[in-house]
Amino acid sequence: MLEIVTPTSLSSLSNPIANTMEHLSLLDNNIPGNSTLITAVELERFVNLRSLALDFCDFTAEMARVLTDSNHVPLQRLSLLVHNASVMLKSLDNMPNDEHWKALSRKSSSLRVYLMVFDIKSEDML
């Protein structure tokens, strides 16, 4: 049975289940303000992730650092959803910088990053 994932339900997954998950998609444009479906601390438990999809504003420098840890398998796909509602409501202060991206690409040499963008003006993308 499929259920809606919330920060509470995700954190209630047992460590053995979290350790075996290879694909995690947490996209929801209805999360208010600075709320997020997963934190960097929670992401540490998902050591076998090969594919991750998040709201662009939820992917932080700390998450990039977690994904470069030696106990995590290399990430193959990172999908980031960019939409006007989250960019206007969420902080961009903790976004990964060039060093975080370089470390992530060294760890995950076959990483592909996909941006899914809608309802954003091109000048806002810059």
Side-chain angles (χ1 to χ4, degrees):
M1 171 191 266
L2 293 176
E3 294 185 27
I4 295 176
V5 175
T6 66
T8 304
S9 67
L10 192 61
S11 64
S12 69
L13 286 176
S14 69
N15 283 337
I17 291 174
N19 287 337
T20 61
M21 291 184 67
E22 293 184 8
H23 308 284
L24 186 59
S25 180
L26 299 170
L27 301 173
D28 186 356
N29 65 348
N30 295 315
I31 300 297
N34 282 327
S35 298
T36 182
L37 289 174
I38 191 168
T39 64
V41 171
E42 188 64 29
L43 187 60
E44 289 176 0
R45 298 185 323 129
F46 295 85
V47 297
N48 286 303
L49 279 185
R50 298 197 180 281
S51 173
L52 177 63
L54 291 173
D55 187 289
F56 175 80
C57 298
D58 291 342
F59 188 66
T60 64
E62 184 62 16
M63 285 186 176
R65 187 206 55 78
V66 165
L67 294 170
T68 61
D69 284 346
S70 61
N71 63 332
H72 279 259
V73 301
L75 195 63
Q76 295 176 348
R77 179 185 180 117
L78 176 62
S79 301
L80 300 171
L81 175 67
V82 184
H83 55 89
N84 189 45
S86 69
V87 171
M88 298 311 240
L89 295 173
K90 294 183 178 183
S91 171
L92 299 176
D93 293 338
N94 298 317
M95 300 303 297
N97 63 28
D98 287 346
E99 292 305 313
H100 297 112
W101 286 108
K102 286 177 187 175
L104 188 55
S105 64
R106 278 191 301 272
K107 166 72 178 197
S108 304
S109 59
S110 64
L111 177 65
R112 299 291 180 252
V113 178
Y114 298 88
L115 289 177
M116 300 168 285
V117 182
F118 68 94
D119 197 26
I120 294 280
K121 297 176 186 171
S122 58
E123 59 267 12
D124 291 339
M125 284 295 296
L126 299 175

Short mmCIF file of all heavy atoms in Angstrom, two decimals, residues 13-68:
data_model
loop_
_atom_site.label_atom_id
_atom_site.label_comp_id
_atom_site.label_asym_id
_atom_site.label_seq_id
_atom_site.Cartn_x
_atom_site.Cartn_y
_atom_site.Cartn_z
N LEU A 13 10.90 4.89 9.67
CA LEU A 13 11.41 3.71 8.99
C LEU A 13 12.55 3.11 9.80
O LEU A 13 13.40 3.83 10.33
CB LEU A 13 11.96 4.08 7.61
CG LEU A 13 10.99 4.39 6.50
CD1 LEU A 13 11.74 4.82 5.25
CD2 LEU A 13 10.11 3.20 6.20
N SER A 14 12.58 1.81 9.87
CA SER A 14 13.66 1.15 10.61
C SER A 14 14.98 1.35 9.86
O SER A 14 14.99 1.56 8.64
CB SER A 14 13.37 -0.33 10.78
OG SER A 14 13.45 -0.98 9.52
N ASN A 15 16.09 1.28 10.57
CA ASN A 15 17.40 1.41 9.93
C ASN A 15 17.63 0.35 8.86
O ASN A 15 18.15 0.68 7.80
CB ASN A 15 18.51 1.40 10.97
CG ASN A 15 18.61 2.73 11.68
OD1 ASN A 15 18.19 3.76 11.16
ND2 ASN A 15 19.17 2.72 12.87
N PRO A 16 17.26 -0.92 9.10
CA PRO A 16 17.46 -1.91 8.02
C PRO A 16 16.70 -1.56 6.73
O PRO A 16 17.22 -1.77 5.64
CB PRO A 16 16.94 -3.21 8.64
CG PRO A 16 17.11 -3.03 10.11
CD PRO A 16 16.85 -1.56 10.34
N ILE A 17 15.51 -1.02 6.85
CA ILE A 17 14.75 -0.62 5.66
C ILE A 17 15.40 0.59 5.01
O ILE A 17 15.59 0.63 3.79
CB ILE A 17 13.27 -0.36 6.00
CG1 ILE A 17 12.58 -1.67 6.36
CG2 ILE A 17 12.55 0.33 4.84
CD1 ILE A 17 11.17 -1.52 6.85
N ALA A 18 15.75 1.60 5.80
CA ALA A 18 16.40 2.79 5.25
C ALA A 18 17.72 2.42 4.57
O ALA A 18 18.05 2.98 3.52
CB ALA A 18 16.64 3.81 6.37
N ASN A 19 18.46 1.48 5.12
CA ASN A 19 19.74 1.07 4.55
C ASN A 19 19.60 0.37 3.22
O ASN A 19 20.55 0.34 2.43
CB ASN A 19 20.49 0.15 5.52
CG ASN A 19 21.04 0.90 6.71
OD1 ASN A 19 21.25 2.10 6.66
ND2 ASN A 19 21.27 0.18 7.79
N THR A 20 18.45 -0.22 2.94
CA THR A 20 18.29 -0.96 1.68
C THR A 20 17.67 -0.13 0.56
O THR A 20 17.72 -0.54 -0.59
CB THR A 20 17.41 -2.22 1.89
OG1 THR A 20 16.13 -1.81 2.33
CG2 THR A 20 18.04 -3.17 2.88
N MET A 21 17.14 1.02 0.88
CA MET A 21 16.48 1.83 -0.15
C MET A 21 17.50 2.40 -1.12
O MET A 21 18.51 2.96 -0.73
CB MET A 21 15.68 2.96 0.50
CG MET A 21 14.47 2.44 1.26
SD MET A 21 13.45 3.74 1.93
CE MET A 21 12.82 4.48 0.45
N GLU A 22 17.22 2.25 -2.42
CA GLU A 22 18.10 2.75 -3.46
C GLU A 22 17.55 3.98 -4.17
O GLU A 22 18.30 4.71 -4.80
CB GLU A 22 18.38 1.66 -4.50
CG GLU A 22 19.19 0.52 -3.94
CD GLU A 22 19.54 -0.51 -5.01
OE1 GLU A 22 19.31 -0.26 -6.21
OE2 GLU A 22 20.06 -1.57 -4.63
N HIS A 23 16.25 4.19 -4.09
CA HIS A 23 15.60 5.31 -4.77
C HIS A 23 14.67 6.01 -3.80
O HIS A 23 13.86 5.36 -3.14
CB HIS A 23 14.81 4.82 -5.99
CG HIS A 23 15.63 3.97 -6.90
ND1 HIS A 23 16.56 4.48 -7.76
CD2 HIS A 23 15.67 2.63 -7.06
CE1 HIS A 23 17.14 3.50 -8.42
NE2 HIS A 23 16.61 2.35 -8.00
N LEU A 24 14.80 7.32 -3.74
CA LEU A 24 13.96 8.09 -2.84
C LEU A 24 13.54 9.37 -3.55
O LEU A 24 14.37 10.15 -4.01
CB LEU A 24 14.73 8.44 -1.56
CG LEU A 24 13.98 9.11 -0.43
CD1 LEU A 24 12.81 8.27 0.06
CD2 LEU A 24 14.94 9.39 0.73
N SER A 25 12.24 9.55 -3.68
CA SER A 25 11.70 10.73 -4.34
C SER A 25 10.81 11.46 -3.35
O SER A 25 9.79 10.93 -2.91
CB SER A 25 10.89 10.32 -5.57
OG SER A 25 10.36 11.46 -6.20
N LEU A 26 11.21 12.67 -3.00
CA LEU A 26 10.48 13.47 -2.01
C LEU A 26 10.16 14.82 -2.62
O LEU A 26 10.77 15.83 -2.32
CB LEU A 26 11.33 13.64 -0.74
CG LEU A 26 11.70 12.34 -0.04
CD1 LEU A 26 12.72 12.60 1.05
CD2 LEU A 26 10.46 11.68 0.53
N LEU A 27 9.18 14.83 -3.49
CA LEU A 27 8.76 16.06 -4.16
C LEU A 27 7.36 16.41 -3.72
O LEU A 27 6.45 15.61 -3.84
CB LEU A 27 8.79 15.88 -5.68
CG LEU A 27 10.13 15.51 -6.27
CD1 LEU A 27 9.99 15.20 -7.75
CD2 LEU A 27 11.13 16.62 -6.05
N ASP A 28 7.22 17.62 -3.18
CA ASP A 28 5.90 18.06 -2.74
C ASP A 28 5.89 19.58 -2.72
O ASP A 28 6.60 20.19 -1.92
CB ASP A 28 5.57 17.51 -1.36
CG ASP A 28 4.15 17.84 -0.92
OD1 ASP A 28 3.44 18.56 -1.66
OD2 ASP A 28 3.74 17.38 0.15
N ASN A 29 5.13 20.18 -3.60
CA ASN A 29 5.09 21.64 -3.63
C ASN A 29 4.08 22.21 -2.64
O ASN A 29 3.79 23.38 -2.65
CB ASN A 29 4.83 22.15 -5.04
CG ASN A 29 3.47 21.76 -5.56
OD1 ASN A 29 2.79 20.92 -4.97
ND2 ASN A 29 3.07 22.35 -6.67
N ASN A 30 3.54 21.37 -1.75
CA ASN A 30 2.59 21.85 -0.75
C ASN A 30 3.19 21.97 0.64
O ASN A 30 2.48 22.22 1.60
CB ASN A 30 1.37 20.91 -0.69
CG ASN A 30 0.59 20.95 -1.98
OD1 ASN A 30 0.34 22.01 -2.51
ND2 ASN A 30 0.24 19.79 -2.49
N ILE A 31 4.50 21.80 0.76
CA ILE A 31 5.16 21.92 2.06
C ILE A 31 5.35 23.41 2.34
O ILE A 31 6.00 24.11 1.59
CB ILE A 31 6.52 21.20 2.07
CG1 ILE A 31 6.34 19.71 1.77
CG2 ILE A 31 7.23 21.39 3.39
CD1 ILE A 31 5.53 18.96 2.80
N PRO A 32 4.79 23.91 3.43
CA PRO A 32 4.84 25.35 3.70
C PRO A 32 6.20 25.83 4.22
O PRO A 32 6.94 25.06 4.83
CB PRO A 32 3.77 25.53 4.78
CG PRO A 32 3.72 24.22 5.48
CD PRO A 32 4.02 23.18 4.44
N GLY A 33 6.48 27.09 3.95
CA GLY A 33 7.64 27.77 4.53
C GLY A 33 8.94 27.03 4.39
O GLY A 33 9.28 26.57 3.32
N ASN A 34 9.68 26.92 5.49
CA ASN A 34 10.98 26.27 5.46
C ASN A 34 10.90 24.80 5.85
O ASN A 34 11.90 24.20 6.19
CB ASN A 34 11.96 27.01 6.37
CG ASN A 34 12.48 28.26 5.71
OD1 ASN A 34 12.65 28.30 4.50
ND2 ASN A 34 12.72 29.29 6.50
N SER A 35 9.71 24.21 5.79
CA SER A 35 9.58 22.78 6.08
C SER A 35 10.18 21.97 4.95
O SER A 35 10.19 22.38 3.80
CB SER A 35 8.11 22.40 6.24
OG SER A 35 7.55 23.09 7.32
N THR A 36 10.68 20.80 5.29
CA THR A 36 11.24 19.88 4.30
C THR A 36 10.84 18.46 4.67
O THR A 36 10.55 18.18 5.82
CB THR A 36 12.78 20.03 4.23
OG1 THR A 36 13.28 19.16 3.24
CG2 THR A 36 13.43 19.74 5.56
N LEU A 37 10.83 17.58 3.68
CA LEU A 37 10.44 16.20 3.94
C LEU A 37 11.58 15.38 4.55
O LEU A 37 11.33 14.35 5.15
CB LEU A 37 9.95 15.54 2.66
CG LEU A 37 8.61 16.02 2.15
CD1 LEU A 37 8.29 15.40 0.80
CD2 LEU A 37 7.51 15.72 3.14
N ILE A 38 12.82 15.81 4.37
CA ILE A 38 13.96 15.07 4.92
C ILE A 38 15.07 16.06 5.29
O ILE A 38 15.25 17.07 4.61
CB ILE A 38 14.48 14.00 3.93
CG1 ILE A 38 15.48 13.06 4.61
CG2 ILE A 38 15.04 14.63 2.68
CD1 ILE A 38 15.80 11.83 3.79
N THR A 39 15.77 15.75 6.36
CA THR A 39 16.90 16.57 6.78
C THR A 39 18.19 15.83 6.44
O THR A 39 18.18 14.63 6.15
CB THR A 39 16.85 16.82 8.29
OG1 THR A 39 17.00 15.56 8.97
CG2 THR A 39 15.55 17.50 8.72
N ALA A 40 19.29 16.53 6.52
CA ALA A 40 20.59 15.91 6.27
C ALA A 40 20.87 14.80 7.28
O ALA A 40 21.40 13.74 6.92
CB ALA A 40 21.69 16.97 6.32
N VAL A 41 20.47 15.00 8.51
CA VAL A 41 20.67 13.98 9.54
C VAL A 41 19.90 12.71 9.18
O VAL A 41 20.42 11.60 9.29
CB VAL A 41 20.24 14.52 10.93
CG1 VAL A 41 20.23 13.42 11.97
CG2 VAL A 41 21.13 15.66 11.36
N GLU A 42 18.68 12.88 8.72
CA GLU A 42 17.88 11.73 8.32
C GLU A 42 18.46 11.05 7.09
O GLU A 42 18.44 9.83 6.96
CB GLU A 42 16.44 12.17 8.06
CG GLU A 42 15.48 11.05 7.83
CD GLU A 42 15.28 10.13 9.02
OE1 GLU A 42 15.42 10.58 10.16
OE2 GLU A 42 14.99 8.94 8.80
N LEU A 43 19.00 11.83 6.16
CA LEU A 43 19.57 11.29 4.93
C LEU A 43 20.76 10.37 5.22
O LEU A 43 21.05 9.47 4.44
CB LEU A 43 19.99 12.44 4.01
CG LEU A 43 20.45 12.10 2.61
CD1 LEU A 43 19.36 11.37 1.83
CD2 LEU A 43 20.89 13.36 1.89
N GLU A 44 21.43 10.57 6.33
CA GLU A 44 22.59 9.74 6.69
C GLU A 44 22.23 8.26 6.78
O GLU A 44 23.08 7.40 6.53
CB GLU A 44 23.18 10.20 8.02
CG GLU A 44 23.88 11.52 7.93
CD GLU A 44 24.40 12.03 9.27
OE1 GLU A 44 24.21 11.34 10.30
OE2 GLU A 44 25.01 13.11 9.27
N ARG A 45 20.99 7.94 7.09
CA ARG A 45 20.58 6.53 7.22
C ARG A 45 20.40 5.83 5.88
O ARG A 45 20.41 4.62 5.80
CB ARG A 45 19.25 6.44 8.00
CG ARG A 45 19.36 6.95 9.39
CD ARG A 45 18.10 6.76 10.23
NE ARG A 45 16.85 6.92 9.56
CZ ARG A 45 15.84 6.01 9.61
NH1 ARG A 45 15.97 4.91 10.28
NH2 ARG A 45 14.71 6.25 8.98
N PHE A 46 20.24 6.58 4.81
CA PHE A 46 19.97 6.01 3.49
C PHE A 46 21.29 5.82 2.72
O PHE A 46 21.57 6.50 1.74
CB PHE A 46 19.01 6.92 2.72
CG PHE A 46 17.65 7.00 3.37
CD1 PHE A 46 17.39 7.90 4.39
CD2 PHE A 46 16.63 6.14 2.96
CE1 PHE A 46 16.15 7.96 5.00
CE2 PHE A 46 15.38 6.20 3.57
CZ PHE A 46 15.14 7.10 4.59
N VAL A 47 22.10 4.89 3.18
CA VAL A 47 23.47 4.73 2.68
C VAL A 47 23.56 4.10 1.30
O VAL A 47 24.60 4.18 0.65
CB VAL A 47 24.34 3.93 3.68
CG1 VAL A 47 24.48 4.68 4.98
CG2 VAL A 47 23.77 2.54 3.90
N ASN A 48 22.49 3.46 0.82
CA ASN A 48 22.52 2.80 -0.48
C ASN A 48 21.74 3.55 -1.56
O ASN A 48 21.43 2.96 -2.60
CB ASN A 48 22.02 1.36 -0.35
CG ASN A 48 23.05 0.48 0.31
OD1 ASN A 48 24.17 0.39 -0.18
ND2 ASN A 48 22.69 -0.13 1.41
N LEU A 49 21.44 4.82 -1.33
CA LEU A 49 20.70 5.59 -2.33
C LEU A 49 21.51 5.74 -3.61
O LEU A 49 22.67 6.13 -3.57
CB LEU A 49 20.35 6.99 -1.80
CG LEU A 49 19.15 7.12 -0.90
CD1 LEU A 49 18.90 8.58 -0.59
CD2 LEU A 49 17.91 6.49 -1.50
N ARG A 50 20.87 5.46 -4.71
CA ARG A 50 21.49 5.68 -6.01
C ARG A 50 20.76 6.79 -6.76
O ARG A 50 21.29 7.38 -7.67
CB ARG A 50 21.46 4.40 -6.83
CG ARG A 50 22.27 3.29 -6.17
CD ARG A 50 22.59 2.18 -7.12
NE ARG A 50 23.34 1.13 -6.48
CZ ARG A 50 24.65 1.18 -6.24
NH1 ARG A 50 25.33 2.24 -6.56
NH2 ARG A 50 25.26 0.17 -5.67
N SER A 51 19.53 7.06 -6.32
CA SER A 51 18.71 8.07 -6.98
C SER A 51 17.95 8.86 -5.91
O SER A 51 17.34 8.26 -5.02
CB SER A 51 17.73 7.37 -7.92
OG SER A 51 16.81 8.29 -8.45
N LEU A 52 18.01 10.17 -6.01
CA LEU A 52 17.35 11.04 -5.04
C LEU A 52 16.68 12.18 -5.78
O LEU A 52 17.28 12.81 -6.66
CB LEU A 52 18.38 11.59 -4.05
CG LEU A 52 17.89 12.58 -2.99
CD1 LEU A 52 16.88 11.92 -2.06
CD2 LEU A 52 19.07 13.12 -2.19
N ALA A 53 15.42 12.43 -5.44
CA ALA A 53 14.67 13.56 -6.01
C ALA A 53 14.15 14.41 -4.86
O ALA A 53 13.53 13.91 -3.93
CB ALA A 53 13.52 13.06 -6.86
N LEU A 54 14.47 15.71 -4.94
CA LEU A 54 14.08 16.66 -3.89
C LEU A 54 13.69 17.99 -4.50
O LEU A 54 14.04 18.28 -5.65
CB LEU A 54 15.28 16.96 -2.96
CG LEU A 54 15.80 15.89 -2.05
CD1 LEU A 54 17.07 16.38 -1.39
CD2 LEU A 54 14.78 15.54 -1.01
N ASP A 55 13.05 18.79 -3.70
CA ASP A 55 12.84 20.18 -4.06
C ASP A 55 14.22 20.85 -4.07
O ASP A 55 15.06 20.62 -3.19
CB ASP A 55 11.93 20.85 -3.03
CG ASP A 55 11.55 22.25 -3.43
OD1 ASP A 55 12.44 23.14 -3.37
OD2 ASP A 55 10.40 22.48 -3.79
N PHE A 56 14.48 21.67 -5.05
CA PHE A 56 15.76 22.36 -5.20
C PHE A 56 16.17 23.07 -3.91
O PHE A 56 17.32 23.00 -3.48
CB PHE A 56 15.65 23.37 -6.35
CG PHE A 56 16.85 24.24 -6.54
CD1 PHE A 56 17.97 23.76 -7.20
CD2 PHE A 56 16.85 25.55 -6.07
CE1 PHE A 56 19.08 24.57 -7.38
CE2 PHE A 56 17.96 26.36 -6.25
CZ PHE A 56 19.07 25.88 -6.91
N CYS A 57 15.23 23.74 -3.28
CA CYS A 57 15.53 24.51 -2.08
C CYS A 57 15.81 23.62 -0.87
O CYS A 57 16.37 24.10 0.12
CB CYS A 57 14.38 25.46 -1.76
SG CYS A 57 14.09 26.67 -3.04
N ASP A 58 15.45 22.36 -0.94
CA ASP A 58 15.69 21.44 0.17
C ASP A 58 17.05 20.76 0.09
O ASP A 58 17.51 20.17 1.06
CB ASP A 58 14.61 20.36 0.23
CG ASP A 58 13.26 20.93 0.63
OD1 ASP A 58 13.22 22.05 1.19
OD2 ASP A 58 12.24 20.27 0.37
N PHE A 59 17.71 20.82 -1.07
CA PHE A 59 19.03 20.20 -1.21
C PHE A 59 20.08 21.18 -0.68
O PHE A 59 20.41 22.17 -1.30
CB PHE A 59 19.32 19.83 -2.66
CG PHE A 59 20.58 19.02 -2.80
CD1 PHE A 59 20.67 17.75 -2.26
CD2 PHE A 59 21.67 19.55 -3.46
CE1 PHE A 59 21.83 17.00 -2.38
CE2 PHE A 59 22.84 18.82 -3.58
CZ PHE A 59 22.92 17.54 -3.03
N THR A 60 20.61 20.87 0.49
CA THR A 60 21.52 21.78 1.19
C THR A 60 22.98 21.33 1.07
O THR A 60 23.26 20.20 0.65
CB THR A 60 21.16 21.84 2.69
OG1 THR A 60 21.36 20.54 3.25
CG2 THR A 60 19.72 22.30 2.89
N ALA A 61 23.85 22.21 1.47
CA ALA A 61 25.28 21.89 1.52
C ALA A 61 25.53 20.70 2.44
O ALA A 61 26.35 19.82 2.13
CB ALA A 61 26.06 23.11 2.01
N GLU A 62 24.81 20.63 3.53
CA GLU A 62 24.97 19.50 4.46
C GLU A 62 24.53 18.19 3.82
O GLU A 62 25.15 17.15 4.03
CB GLU A 62 24.19 19.77 5.75
CG GLU A 62 24.38 18.73 6.81
CD GLU A 62 25.81 18.58 7.33
OE1 GLU A 62 26.65 19.46 7.11
OE2 GLU A 62 26.09 17.54 7.95
N MET A 63 23.49 18.21 3.01
CA MET A 63 23.06 17.00 2.30
C MET A 63 24.13 16.56 1.31
O MET A 63 24.42 15.36 1.18
CB MET A 63 21.74 17.22 1.59
CG MET A 63 20.56 17.24 2.51
SD MET A 63 19.04 17.34 1.56
CE MET A 63 17.85 17.22 2.87
N ALA A 64 24.70 17.51 0.61
CA ALA A 64 25.79 17.19 -0.33
C ALA A 64 26.95 16.55 0.42
O ALA A 64 27.53 15.56 -0.04
CB ALA A 64 26.24 18.44 -1.07
N ARG A 65 27.27 17.07 1.59
CA ARG A 65 28.35 16.51 2.41
C ARG A 65 28.01 15.08 2.83
O ARG A 65 28.85 14.19 2.76
CB ARG A 65 28.62 17.37 3.64
CG ARG A 65 29.85 16.91 4.42
CD ARG A 65 29.81 17.27 5.88
NE ARG A 65 28.65 16.82 6.61
CZ ARG A 65 28.44 15.56 7.05
NH1 ARG A 65 29.32 14.61 6.78
NH2 ARG A 65 27.37 15.26 7.74
N VAL A 66 26.78 14.85 3.26
CA VAL A 66 26.35 13.51 3.68
C VAL A 66 26.51 12.53 2.53
O VAL A 66 27.00 11.41 2.72
CB VAL A 66 24.89 13.53 4.18
CG1 VAL A 66 24.31 12.14 4.27
CG2 VAL A 66 24.79 14.24 5.52
N LEU A 67 26.13 12.93 1.33
CA LEU A 67 26.20 12.03 0.18
C LEU A 67 27.63 11.74 -0.27
O LEU A 67 27.86 10.80 -1.03
CB LEU A 67 25.37 12.60 -0.98
CG LEU A 67 23.87 12.64 -0.71
CD1 LEU A 67 23.16 13.44 -1.80
CD2 LEU A 67 23.28 11.23 -0.60
N THR A 68 28.60 12.52 0.20
CA THR A 68 30.01 12.26 -0.14
C THR A 68 30.71 11.42 0.93
O THR A 68 31.86 11.05 0.75
CB THR A 68 30.79 13.57 -0.34
OG1 THR A 68 30.77 14.32 0.87
CG2 THR A 68 30.22 14.39 -1.47
#
